[in-house]
Amino acid sequence: MNVRYFAAARAAAGVDEERYELADGDTLASLLEAILAVERPEPPAGTPPLARLLSRSSFLLNEVAVRDHAAVLKAADVVDVLPPFAGG
């Protein structure tokens, strides 16, 4: 499954996109646990840690908003991580 990071989440993750090998039937919650289990360098100055960003982020599952962390994922899914945005 592919995870794509945007804005501050991209800066905190240190990558634009990464792949996870989860089993069919795993949930968004288990994906978030897997993301947080990856050892990463410190984010750039002024960027919150990835864990804090994930707790406030919105998620798209195959381009559709998903709020339920119990949502079941499939190996071919794409999850987008959208941190809170400010501005006009």
Side-chain angles (χ1 to χ4, degrees), residues 25-36:
D26 276 345
T27 64
L28 178 58
S30 58
L31 173 63
L32 296 176
E33 289 175 16
I35 290 170
L36 292 174

Side-chain angles (χ1 to χ4, degrees), residues 2-49:
N2 284 341
V3 177
R4 300 185 300 191
Y5 301 99
F6 294 87
R10 179 184 307 154
V15 295
D16 294 339
E17 185 172 339
E18 53 191 356
R19 180 140 182 89
Y20 287 87
E21 299 297 330
L22 298 178
D24 281 354
D26 276 345
T27 64
L28 178 58
S30 58
L31 173 63
L32 296 176
E33 289 175 16
I35 290 170
L36 292 174
V38 174
E39 195 167 321
R40 301 176 190 277
E42 284 291 315
T47 302

Side-chain angles (χ1 to χ4, degrees), residues 26-87:
D26 276 345
T27 64
L28 178 58
S30 58
L31 173 63
L32 296 176
E33 289 175 16
I35 290 170
L36 292 174
V38 174
E39 195 167 321
R40 301 176 190 277
E42 284 291 315
T47 302
L50 186 57
R52 188 163 76 182
L53 286 168
L54 289 177
S55 72
R56 297 178 176 188
S57 290
S58 298
F59 303 95
L60 300 180
L61 174 57
N62 300 323
E63 300 183 2
V64 176
V66 60
R67 289 178 169 66
D68 184 2
H69 287 200
V72 175
L73 305 176
K74 297 182 181 115
D77 286 340
V78 175
V79 175
D80 295 328
V81 179
L82 306 171
F85 293 92

